[in-house]
Amino acid sequence: MGSSPSDVVIDPTLCYFYRDDFIIEKDGFRGDRLFLEYLDLISKRGIHLDKLDISDRVRSLAQLRNLVKIIAHPKCNCDEVRRQGLDLMLSIIIIEGAKLLNYYTSVKRQPLDNIIASIKELHTKKNHDYATGLGGDALANFMFVAVMKPRLPREYNEWEDFYDIGLGFIWRMADKVSRMITFNKKGELLVENDSYEDAVRDYLVYLGLFYAFIKRVSLLLRSREACSERSGT
């Protein structure tokens, strides 16, 4: 028996990772602050690449996808496991970002500070175009996916949103890796205003936003646990 329209619930207040107490500036939760934290972290790591190994990007995406699936799985009801999974994701994203940043700096033959500035500028422009209408938070358009998802009346699981949002980041990054693969095989990209280096830079921005999202979830999980300990529950 099919569901009638009245059986489908679309309620933004149900989306745990989009609630007002999740998008707050204090304690470094805000996405743009966490994005800048990510840029600072990857700029300080001394990883150098002479060439860009696309297979590394594919492996990293597969690892991140699998961790998203594990953390969001209904049988994963242990916050300790989730914390470890989130920390591992952050490590993968930082190392991946450091590799790409060093490669991009060597390709453009510009000082690191100039490259970081260009990535910040790209992020600011994209944030204006994609997030301003959704409250201005750097992660709003990604989390908006979970708000749009039709929901059947049943017990709500907040980690379903984590799964949807996490895969949303990975799909965006997979698009950029696909362009890198095409360039490596064909030697050219037909869209003139979206070069190979642009694909790398876009990938770096998505990595930074993904870092901000994962870090935000980790901070919120720890904050919630601390509140439970103080209340004795």
Side-chain angles (χ1 to χ4, degrees):
M1 182 176 179
S3 299
S4 67
S6 60
D7 292 330
V8 180
V9 179
I10 303 177
D11 185 354
T13 62
L14 291 178
C15 180
Y16 187 76
F17 297 119
Y18 198 73
R19 284 190 342 213
D20 289 341
D21 61 350
F22 191 69
I23 304 178
I24 55 178
E25 293 192 28
K26 66 179 182 179
D27 300 326
F29 275 54
R30 191 168 175 83
D32 48 6
R33 288 188 189 172
L34 295 173
F35 181 84
L36 295 177
E37 174 186 300
Y38 161 80
L39 289 182
D40 185 57
L41 286 171
I42 64 173
S43 66
K44 291 177 179 177
R45 294 189 70 98
I47 299 175
H48 178 72
L49 290 178
D50 294 323
K51 62 179 182 178
L52 193 61
D53 188 344
I54 302 300
S55 61
D56 281 349
R57 314 288 77 75
V58 175
R59 280 193 294 269
S60 294
L61 284 178
Q63 289 175 326
L64 292 171
R65 179 202 61 200
N66 290 338
L67 284 166
V68 166
K69 291 170 68 175
I70 290 169
I71 292 170
H73 197 281
K75 292 184 179 179
C76 180
N77 55 7
C78 175
D79 283 348
E80 178 62 28
V81 173
R82 287 197 170 109
R83 279 199 307 271
Q84 292 177 7
L86 292 169
D87 289 344
L88 182 55
M89 291 181 76
L90 290 172
S91 297
I92 293 171
I93 292 169
I94 292 169
I95 293 172
E96 179 79 349
K99 289 180 179 179
L100 282 165
L101 178 63
N102 279 273
Y103 170 80
Y104 187 63
T105 303
S106 64
V107 167
K108 299 298 286 185
R109 300 185 184 281
Q110 293 181 11
L112 181 62
D113 289 346
N114 290 1
I115 298 296
I116 291 290
S118 73
I119 295 171
K120 287 181 181 178
E121 181 182 8
L122 177 62
H123 164 65
T124 300
K125 290 179 178 179
K126 285 181 175 288
N127 193 52
H128 173 274
D129 292 350
Y130 288 101
T132 301
L134 298 171
D137 185 77
L139 305 177
N141 61 309
F142 288 94
M143 292 189 287
F144 190 55
V145 173
V147 177
M148 295 171 61
K149 180 180 178 181
R151 304 182 186 281
L152 297 178
R154 56 179 169 75
E155 185 177 353
Y156 179 65
N157 179 3
E158 67 196 22
W159 293 100
E160 290 181 8
D161 287 340
F162 174 82
Y163 178 81
D164 293 334
I165 297 165
L167 288 189
F169 280 104
I170 291 170
W171 289 336
R172 297 284 182 89
M173 290 188 288
D175 286 342
K176 300 305 173 181
V177 172
S178 296
R179 290 186 64 77
M180 297 177 201
I181 292 173
T182 297
F183 181 84
N184 281 5
K185 288 184 176 180
K186 302 290 186 179
E188 64 176 350
L189 295 171
L190 297 183
V191 179
E192 295 180 358
N193 63 346
D194 194 3
S195 67
Y196 183 68
E197 288 80 12
D198 288 336
V200 174
R201 190 173 62 157
D202 286 340
Y203 189 78
L204 270 168
V205 171
Y206 285 134
L207 272 175
L209 292 172
F210 197 26
Y211 170 89
F213 172 67
I214 297 300
K215 185 65 178 291
R216 181 186 282 181
V217 174
S218 178
L219 287 170
L220 187 62
L221 186 61
R222 284 169 165 79
S223 175
R224 189 169 62 185
E225 289 179 337
C227 290
S228 296
E229 289 176 1
R230 285 196 296 268
S231 64
T233 58

